């Protein structure tokens, strides 16, 4: 089927394009990009006054399948992604069983092929069962199409294992992603350690818990010369270390979530468990530092860390609730409203952080760009559309999202994956 | 002048006027406990449930007597925290209790924020009898009542709170109440249990007990929990006592007519010496007595009057 | 809501004479004045009670103690109040068991206040007798309650408000009938 997207403002940071163009799609690929294309057989999509961007890629999602399908499945997660404007998602291995072997990776890929509406890229574990003791068969998993490796949910447990993983990853030119948390410091903490944790009587996770592992990872990446990606950074100290490391040309990239850019720990005064997340919402100073880091490029990518949980699991005392915020269907509107429409970063930078760079970092050569021959993965945005977030309308199985009722300006209006429209509100 | 709250979740939600209203009401209700017939019919027909997930004889029986003296019916449900692990969630426990149509639920729980959590789906009035390390509002109210009884006022006094501030809900509630009514508060304890960030609550911090006690009008000692030593918050009970135990010699640094308070139960010989605990300077037993009047006042103000949607 | 003064039914001298007359009646009916105690119902009953006690002292040289009763906790309309009434102190610093109690209030209307006062007194101890003195009886009883000593019988309509003002707290002695102006 041919699709012709007409009159949209096409923005592709990888090539520097920012102009009104038509795009013709055929058999899943972009075949023509020109100011005026005439094609009678194509289905026409009128993108006037809309922005056409390379399809968004979420580098950090939890799909819960296999094992916790009551929270989310590959199918429902992909529906949520499409509704949120994402054309590809990379899913973390902390499933049940853990994705530390070929069998699980292949299961995810085949399920995705059968039922998912967006591209699904499994991230495999670094260690067996994510226990932090033995490395997994990395080459085998790369061959099975695991896109990267992470023990997310947990840090890579010891410096030694991280070093070995980094050295080994060079052989395969694959990527290690670390969730930076020193568990002896974070212990049984449930929110950021600071004035608010003292006020609310909740045990705190100090910022040093993140900084220490970030420092460890940066040193090891530098010494081994390997690539590393730091997941969901949340504190000022981590950003500062990262900035210095980049100056020294360490091969590090980093991501931040929308909720860490928008909320801070003062919002926890209602004890709303939908705000309980790891790493926790931090102080206003940390949020400020993260925004600066986004602006100056120290942080490369925005990823949702979509972490679905059932309502029952979250309807308990704060201490008992699992960590995690559902994010696929709110990320883009939040970022368009709070970052782009408020002029914190220009639109092209936003697209770079949510499409161009993720594709680059994950080595997806035919994605994250609008170019003849590239995969026809596109996200169409309406920067002026005013929405009110309604969690009852989510495609995700889960509802643990703290932004219900928020009025935002800016939303994805169409998601195209491989030339097929998988979501449209046009 | 009315008390427009549906729940008592913490001192945080109370205005200084609310606090005064509660204390004045407690003052008027105090004499009922001294009568021959210790009962008035005011809350006749109301049902109150004591839902205690942590062991407590003092607070629980205090609420029980307060309810009974106002002629309310009160039932005790004691759950150990492990019954939650066994399968019935807190939410289910409360929903089941609500099916019996209580007017109020008094809850003590080890999780901070548990009363807030249940108030989000509860029809009844929720009264916080202590949640984790967060708040213990009726304790702070009875402490304030006791101070006022002894010192005639709360303003302009220097109150020193000594002990494991970090984990203490009694400390937090007292800090909030006293700073709201114009009392000077000084916190004292080992640095590992007293982060500097507490200054943001409008109090002073002093790690040296002798210095903290200078010119104090009220010295409030907190119970030190022995488990904290196992988690390395301080090296040993012996060292803690040497640095932070209140003895007769140390107490001389305070003002001449200073009083000693403690929420109980006391660790004799650890945070307070036995002779001080039993001395005339100690108002610890008066605190217990006043607890009933204060809790009667809280029940009266929350449950009396029309059930109106105008309340929060 | 502004109120309209309809009539001034007693002034300072009328009140004085009524109290004087009632005190004489009290002394006549109570053989053993030494067993008499006065309990004034907050708020104006207190001041009337004190005045009566003073008059008894002047006339018979007997000290009759005066206590203060707050009936808030015994009201029967508790659950219908818009807002909780402020509970004030009940201060009766003498035993009332076996005593002759003279309850004093300013206005007797439905009788519910007196019912609450009697329940409260009995919880405090078992008096031998309870007598009731009011300055104004305005009718419209809802319970079978009557006063032993009445300053003035005042037929009123239910809508009207009877206001007793006393020097001790209102600055002047008078009894007014007022009506809320405008129905709203």
């Amino acid at each position: 089927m041919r699709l012709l997207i007409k009159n949209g403002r096409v923005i592709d940071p990888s090539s520097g394009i920012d102009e009104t163009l038509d795009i013709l799609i055929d058999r899943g690929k972009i075949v023509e990009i020109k100011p005026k294309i005439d094609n009678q057989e194509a289905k026409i999509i009128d993108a006037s006054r809309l922005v056409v961007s390379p399809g968004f890629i979420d580098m950090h999602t939890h799909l819960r399948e296999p094992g916790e399908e009551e929270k989310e499945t590959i199918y429902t997660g992909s529906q949520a992604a499409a509704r949120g404007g994402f054309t590809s998602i990379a899913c973390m291995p902390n499933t049940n069983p853990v994705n530390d072997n070929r069998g699980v990776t292949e299961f995810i890929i085949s399920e995705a092929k059968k039922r998912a509406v967006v591209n699904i890229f499994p991230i495999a574990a670094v260690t067996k069962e994510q226990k932090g003791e033995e490395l997994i068969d990395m080459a085998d998993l790369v061959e099975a199409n695991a896109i990267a490796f992470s023990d997310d949910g947990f840090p890579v447990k010891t410096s030694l294992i991280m070093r070995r993983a980094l050295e080994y990853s060079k052989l395969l030119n694959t990527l290690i992603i670390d969730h930076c948390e020193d568990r002896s410091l974070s212990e049984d903490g449930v929110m950021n350690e600071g004035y608010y944790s003292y006020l609310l009587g909740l045990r705190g996770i100090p910022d040093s818990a993140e900084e220490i592992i970030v420092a460890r990872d940066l040193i090891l990446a530098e010494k081994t010369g390997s690539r590393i990606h730091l997941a969901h950074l949340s504190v000022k100290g981590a950003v500062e270390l990262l900035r210095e490391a980049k100056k020294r040309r360490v091969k590090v990239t980093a991501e931040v979530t929308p909720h860490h850019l928008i909320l801070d720990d003062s919002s926890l005064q209602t004890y709303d468990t939908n705000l309980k997340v790891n790493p926790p919402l931090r102080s206003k100073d940390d949020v400020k530092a993260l925004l600066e880091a986004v602006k100056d490029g120290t942080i490369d990518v925005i990823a949702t860390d979509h972490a679905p949980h059932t309502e029952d699991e979250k309807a308990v005392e704060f201490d008992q609730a699992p960590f995690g915020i559902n994010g696929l269907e709110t990320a883009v509107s939040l970022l368009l409203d709070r970052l782009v429409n408020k002029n914190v970063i220009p639109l092209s930078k936003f697209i770079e952080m949510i499409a161009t760079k993720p594709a680059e970092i994950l080595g997806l050569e035919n994605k994250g760009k609008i170019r003849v021959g590239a995969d026809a993965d596109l996200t169409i945005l309406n920067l002026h559309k005013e929405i009110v977030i309604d969690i009852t309308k989510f495609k995700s199985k889960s509802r643990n999202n703290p932004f219900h009722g928020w009025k935002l300006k800016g939303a994805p209006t169409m998601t195209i994956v491989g030339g097929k429209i998988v979501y449209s509100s046009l | 002048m009315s008390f427009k709250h549906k729940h008592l979740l913490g001192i945080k939600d109370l205005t200084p006027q609310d606090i005064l209203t509660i204390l004045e009401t407690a003052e008027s209700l105090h004499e009922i406990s001294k009568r021959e017939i210790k009962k008035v019919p005011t809350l006749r027909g109301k049902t109150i449930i004591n839902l205690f997930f942590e062991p407590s004889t003092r607070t629980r029986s205090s609420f029980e007597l307060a309810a009974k003296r106002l002629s309310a019916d009160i039932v005790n449900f004691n759950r150990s925290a492990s019954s939650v692990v066994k399968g019935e969630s807190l939410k289910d426990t409360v929903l089941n209790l609500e099916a019996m149509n209580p007017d109020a639920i008094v809850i003590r729980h080890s999780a901070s924020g548990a009363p807030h959590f249940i108030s989000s789906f509860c029809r009844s009035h929720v009264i916080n009898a202590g949640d984790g390390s967060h708040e213990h509002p009726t304790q702070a109210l009875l402490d304030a009542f006791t101070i006022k009884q002894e010192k005639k006022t709360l303003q302009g006094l220097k109150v020193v709170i000594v002990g494991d501030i970090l984990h203490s809900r009694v400390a937090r509630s007292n800090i909030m109440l006293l700073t709201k009514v114009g009392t000077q508060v000084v916190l004292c304890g080992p640095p590992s249990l007293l982060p500097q960030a507490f200054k943001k609550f409008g109090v002073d911090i002093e790690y040296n007990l002798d210095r903290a006690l200078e010119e104090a009008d009220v010295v409030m000692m907190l119970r030190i929990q022995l488990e904290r030593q196992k988690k390395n918050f301080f090296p040993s009970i012996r060292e803690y006592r040497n640095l932070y135990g209140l003895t007769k010699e140390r107490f001389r640094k305070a003002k001449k007519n200073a009083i000693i308070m403690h929420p109980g139960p006391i660790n004799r010989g650890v945070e307070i010496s036995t002779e001080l605990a039993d001395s005339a300077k100690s108002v610890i037993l008066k605190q217990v007595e006043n607890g009933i009047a204060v809790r009667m006042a809280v029940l009266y103000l929350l449950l009396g009057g029309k059930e109106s949607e105008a309340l929060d | 809501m502004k109120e309209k003064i309809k009539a001034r039914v007693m002034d300072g001298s009328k009140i004085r004479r009524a109290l004087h007359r009632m005190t004489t009646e009290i002394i006549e009916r109570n053989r053993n004045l030494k067993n008499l105690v006065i309990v004034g119902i907050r708020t104006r009953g207190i001041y009337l009670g004190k005045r009566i006690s003073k008059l008894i002292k002047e006339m018979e040289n007997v000290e009759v103690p005066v206590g203060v009763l707050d009936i808030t906790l015994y009201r029967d309309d508790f659950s219908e109040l818009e807002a909780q009434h402020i509970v004030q102190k009940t201060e009766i610093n003498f035993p009332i068991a076996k005593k002759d109690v003279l309850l004093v209030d300013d206005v007797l209307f439905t009788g519910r206040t007196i019912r609450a006062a009697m329940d409260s007194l009995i919880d405090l101890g078992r008096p031998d007798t309870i007598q009731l003195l009011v300055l104004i009886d305005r009718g419209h009883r809802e319970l079978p309650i009557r006063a032993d000593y009445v300053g003035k019988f005042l037929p009123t309509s239910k809508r009207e408000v009877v206001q007793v003002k006393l020097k001790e707290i209102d600055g002047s002695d008078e009894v007014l009938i007022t009506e809320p102006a405008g129905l709203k």
Side-chain angles (χ1 to χ4, degrees):
Chain A
M1 216 243 307
R2 291 190 190 178
L3 272 184
L4 176 55
I5 304 169
K6 288 189 82 59
N7 289 320
R9 177 184 168 198
V10 176
I11 303 183
D12 176 17
S14 75
S15 55
I17 299 174
D18 183 350
E19 53 186 291
T20 307
L21 292 167
D22 289 358
I23 299 176
L24 181 62
I25 293 169
D26 190 11
R27 272 168 292 179
K29 298 271 182 196
I30 296 175
V31 294
E32 211 177 326
I33 307 170
K34 266 212 312 252
K36 254 200 164 21
I37 301 177
D38 243 311
N39 193 303
Q40 308 297 32
E41 294 142 11
K43 172 179 163 129
I44 295 186
I45 294 163
D46 179 14
S48 9
R49 274 167 287 121
L50 301 175
V51 169
V52 181
S53 155
F56 294 168
I57 300 172
D58 185 11
M59 274 184 74
H60 193 144
T61 298
H62 295 270
L63 288 181
R64 308 299 188 204
E65 186 175 7
E68 292 179 295
E69 290 84 355
E70 70 277 9
K71 302 186 204 221
E72 192 83 281
T73 61
I74 290 170
Y75 170 66
T76 59
S78 76
Q79 288 281 347
R83 185 162 180 269
F86 292 95
T87 56
S88 301
I89 52 181
C91 56
M92 284 296 179
N94 58 336
T95 47
N96 185 13
V98 166
N99 183 7
D100 63 0
N101 64 79
R102 193 164 184 148
V104 177
T105 302
E106 287 177 347
F107 165 76
I108 295 174
I109 290 175
S110 92
E111 254 315 279
K113 234 188 223 126
K114 276 190 273 180
R115 317 189 52 168
V117 298
V118 305
N119 303 304
I120 310 268
F121 296 102
I123 298 173
V126 174
T127 60
K128 294 194 177 137
E129 292 182 83
Q130 294 187 304
K131 280 209 175 122
E133 287 159 11
E134 290 177 64
L135 285 185
I136 61 160
D137 294 346
M138 250 190 228
D140 200 28
L141 276 145
V142 166
E143 203 181 275
N145 290 311
I147 192 99
F149 295 85
S150 178
D151 271 350
D152 185 65
F154 307 96
V156 172
K157 196 169 187 190
T158 61
S159 308
L160 178 64
I161 294 286
M162 180 52 110
R163 179 185 171 180
R164 297 286 176 246
L166 286 170
E167 289 166 341
Y168 202 62
S169 72
K170 271 199 297 191
L171 171 68
L172 305 158
N173 193 21
T174 185
L175 180 67
I176 309 286
I177 301 174
D178 201 18
H179 160 122
C180 302
E181 180 191 349
D182 181 332
R183 297 203 116 205
S184 71
L185 284 177
S186 63
E187 250 198 316
D188 49 2
V190 298
M191 67 173 283
N192 181 37
E193 186 182 272
Y195 171 74
Y196 287 100
S197 70
Y198 299 135
L199 179 68
L200 299 175
L202 292 170
R203 280 178 298 277
I205 297 172
D207 49 8
S208 47
E210 181 169 303
E211 290 170 44
I212 285 180
I213 301 301
V214 167
R216 171 195 87 173
D217 290 350
L218 291 172
I219 291 171
L220 290 173
E222 189 167 13
K223 306 267 183 198
T224 57
S226 302
R227 283 197 301 145
I228 191 171
H229 180 80
L230 303 177
H232 47 47
L233 290 185
S234 69
V235 300
K236 184 168 167 197
V239 160
E240 285 168 358
L241 288 166
L242 179 59
R243 203 175 267 129
E244 285 309 305
K246 280 191 166 183
K247 282 196 194 130
R248 295 195 308 274
R249 311 281 177 135
V250 176
K251 292 193 198 137
V252 56
T253 52
E255 78 193 29
V256 69
T257 68
H259 48 269
H260 284 107
L261 292 173
I262 291 170
L263 298 171
D264 62 67
D265 56 1
S266 66
S267 55
L268 282 139
Q269 290 177 84
T270 53
Y271 289 100
D272 182 3
T273 53
N274 288 325
L275 296 167
K276 182 175 179 182
V277 66
N278 191 10
L281 300 176
R282 300 285 189 180
S283 72
K284 287 190 166 66
D285 276 344
D286 291 310
V287 173
K288 214 163 145 228
L290 291 171
L291 286 167
E292 276 309 310
V294 161
K295 279 202 282 202
D296 74 10
T298 304
I299 292 181
D300 310 84
V301 162
I302 297 179
T304 65
D305 194 8
H306 174 80
H309 290 290
T310 63
E311 284 180 79
D312 279 341
E313 288 176 294
K314 284 285 200 177
V316 293
E317 313 86 278
F318 200 88
D319 285 338
Q320 303 290 330
F323 292 95
I325 290 182
N326 151 316
L328 282 170
E329 292 166 269
T330 48
V332 172
S333 286
L334 282 167
L335 295 164
L336 286 176
D337 182 279
R338 291 301 164 102
L339 262 56
V340 177
N341 281 331
K342 298 247 178 347
N343 296 316
V344 175
I345 49 171
L347 180 57
S348 58
K349 183 132 189 61
F350 166 65
I351 294 175
E352 191 184 22
M353 293 182 80
I354 204 166
T356 321
K357 280 267 162 75
E360 220 177 271
I361 294 170
L362 291 174
L364 299 168
E365 281 178 7
N366 287 319
K367 299 198 187 297
K369 40 181 80 108
I370 297 180
R371 188 171 301 184
V372 172
D375 293 338
D377 291 347
L378 296 167
T379 302
I380 301 183
L381 304 168
N382 183 339
L383 297 181
H384 310 290
K385 183 165 184 195
E386 291 185 357
I387 62 157
V388 178
I389 294 185
D390 181 359
I391 60 175
T392 62
K393 298 249 162 60
F394 279 2
K395 291 280 187 193
S396 166
K397 266 192 174 178
S398 64
R399 299 280 176 273
N400 54 316
N401 182 299
F403 301 104
H404 182 68
W406 280 46
K407 296 193 176 59
L408 301 169
K409 194 161 108 162
T413 48
M414 184 180 276
T415 311
I416 298 168
V417 175
K420 267 174 61 188
I421 301 172
V422 296
Y423 167 71
S424 172
S425 67
L426 279 179
Chain B
M1 194 192 355
S2 55
F3 191 78
K4 281 190 169 38
H5 292 275
K6 178 167 182 197
H7 307 296
L8 179 61
L9 301 178
I11 301 291
K12 181 140 183 278
D13 311 313
L14 299 180
T15 63
Q17 185 55 58
D18 287 330
I19 294 169
L20 286 176
T21 301
I22 297 174
L23 295 181
E24 278 164 8
T25 307
E27 176 76 45
S28 305
L29 297 174
H30 195 57
E31 54 89 13
I32 297 171
S33 299
K34 304 220 200 285
R35 297 183 186 181
E36 178 108 12
I37 297 181
K38 298 174 184 50
K39 222 186 235 299
V40 292
T42 321
L43 294 185
R44 195 171 71 94
K46 301 282 185 186
T47 303
I48 298 170
I49 294 185
N50 259 348
L51 182 56
F52 277 60
F53 286 88
E54 278 182 342
S56 153
T57 24
R58 189 177 321 235
T59 307
R60 211 188 69 214
S61 41
S62 184
F63 269 107
E64 198 176 337
L65 280 173
K68 286 181 170 164
R69 287 185 184 168
L70 291 169
S71 297
D73 294 324
I74 183 159
V75 183
N76 288 313
F77 277 84
N78 298 323
R79 293 283 145 99
S80 62
S82 68
S83 77
V84 173
V85 176
K86 271 195 212 126
E88 199 183 36
S89 69
L90 174 58
K91 185 168 186 180
D92 279 328
T93 304
V94 172
L95 288 175
N96 274 288
L97 289 176
E98 283 235 297
M100 300 185 224
N101 279 318
D103 297 283
I105 295 181
V106 176
I107 177 170
R108 166 172 284 197
H109 198 285
S110 56
S112 302
H116 281 80
F117 171 56
I118 69 172
S119 72
S120 67
F121 56 83
C122 237
R123 270 187 333 257
S124 331
H125 300 273
V126 176
I127 298 171
N128 183 2
D131 63 327
S133 304
H134 179 227
E135 284 229 42
H136 192 356
T138 56
Q139 180 70 43
L141 287 162
L142 73 87
D143 287 340
F145 186 86
T146 308
I147 296 173
K148 214 162 171 231
Q149 206 180 47
E150 298 291 318
K151 300 285 176 187
K152 306 294 176 252
T153 177
L154 291 168
Q155 284 174 319
L157 298 178
K158 175 176 170 181
V159 175
V160 183
I161 306 179
V162 184
D164 179 357
I165 308 287
L166 180 61
H167 299 101
S168 169
R169 54 190 175 218
V170 171
R172 280 173 182 71
S173 288
N174 267 297
I175 289 169
M176 277 188 242
L177 189 155
L178 294 171
T179 51
K180 275 185 207 236
V181 299
T183 313
Q184 184 201 357
V185 177
V186 175
L187 303 178
C188 181
S192 48
L193 295 172
L194 182 48
Q196 283 288 323
F198 270 82
K199 276 209 183 110
K200 295 204 187 122
F201 292 115
V203 303
D204 294 311
I205 293 185
E206 175 55 71
Y207 294 127
N208 180 300
L209 181 57
D210 292 295
R211 270 206 294 271
L213 288 173
E214 278 162 21
E215 296 299 303
D217 295 287
V218 177
V219 182
M220 202 182 281
M221 304 303 296
L222 298 175
R223 177 186 171 75
I224 189 78
Q225 283 187 316
L226 307 183
E227 306 85 78
R228 308 286 176 217
Q229 183 266 323
K230 293 210 167 52
K231 286 196 133 188
N232 290 304
F233 280 103
F234 54 86
S236 67
I237 296 292
R238 179 170 162 273
E239 185 131 310
Y240 182 84
R241 181 201 310 130
N242 288 342
L243 292 171
Y244 297 102
L246 189 65
T247 58
K248 207 159 154 207
E249 296 70 53
R250 276 216 158 104
F251 188 57
R252 282 202 199 103
K253 298 238 160 44
K255 282 208 181 112
K256 262 190 108 167
N257 50 359
I259 55 173
I260 301 172
M261 300 177 69
H262 193 299
I266 53 181
N267 280 320
R268 277 176 187 270
V270 181
E271 61 256 4
I272 181 169
S273 70
T274 260
E275 67 178 322
L276 271 186
D278 297 330
S279 75
K281 301 286 190 181
S282 152
V283 297
I284 296 175
L285 294 176
K286 289 213 182 101
Q287 285 173 273
V288 177
E289 186 189 332
N290 293 333
I292 298 184
V294 164
R295 288 169 177 131
M296 285 172 78
V298 167
L299 289 174
Y300 169 80
L301 288 167
L302 286 179
L303 272 67
K306 214 196 289 208
E307 295 298 319
S308 152
E309 307 88 16
L311 302 173
D312 56 44
Chain C
M1 188 163 50
K2 280 240 139 186
E3 34 177 44
K4 219 169 56 186
I5 297 180
K6 283 180 85 176
R8 192 168 182 255
V9 293
M10 286 181 99
D11 64 10
S13 51
K14 284 216 177 92
I15 291 179
R16 190 177 34 84
R17 274 182 229 127
L19 288 176
H20 198 98
R21 186 226 339 132
M22 289 192 287
T23 307
T24 318
E25 288 171 17
I26 293 168
I27 295 169
E28 262 182 351
R29 278 197 241 177
N30 285 278
R31 295 284 149 122
N32 186 4
L33 273 181
K34 292 212 177 70
N35 201 42
L36 187 69
V37 298
I38 293 177
V39 174
I41 298 176
R42 277 195 192 269
T43 310
R44 289 170 180 78
I46 305 173
Y47 304 106
L48 290 172
K50 288 199 167 135
R51 290 194 201 183
I52 302 267
S53 176
K54 192 156 167 260
L55 284 169
I56 295 178
K57 172 89 181 158
E58 282 168 13
M59 292 192 215
E60 295 289 313
N61 199 25
V62 175
E63 290 277 1
V64 178
V66 180
V68 174
L69 184 63
D70 181 282
I71 55 109
T72 312
L73 298 175
Y74 284 80
R75 296 177 69 108
D76 63 3
D77 57 353
F78 208 66
S79 53
E80 277 128 59
L81 299 174
E82 280 298 341
Q84 300 80 0
H85 276 215
I86 299 303
V87 188
Q88 304 213 351
K89 275 201 204 184
T90 284
E91 291 175 77
I92 299 177
N93 301 322
F94 42 83
I96 58 170
K98 297 203 179 10
K99 297 280 182 191
D100 299 305
V101 174
L102 177 66
L103 263 181
V104 178
D105 204 3
D106 54 347
V107 178
L108 175 57
F109 186 20
T110 60
R112 293 186 189 271
T113 301
I114 305 303
R115 195 279 316 156
M118 286 202 284
D119 276 353
S120 173
L121 276 181
I122 287 169
D123 270 355
L124 291 169
R126 191 179 182 281
D128 269 2
T129 63
I130 300 179
Q131 300 164 62
L132 175 63
L133 181 151
V134 295
L135 185 62
I136 303 286
D137 177 344
R138 63 172 290 194
H140 296 292
R141 213 78 72 237
E142 289 171 9
L143 298 174
I145 298 222
R146 58 124 186 83
D148 298 279
Y149 312 97
V150 181
K152 184 174 178 59
F153 284 97
L154 193 60
T156 57
S157 88
K158 268 198 148 179
R159 213 179 55 233
E160 289 167 332
V161 176
V162 175
Q163 277 191 33
V164 171
K165 292 194 191 237
L166 298 177
K167 243 194 318 244
E168 291 92 327
I169 55 168
D170 305 300
S172 64
D173 278 357
E174 55 185 357
V175 179
L176 304 170
I177 299 182
T178 62
E179 198 176 80
L183 275 165
K184 226 278 193 154

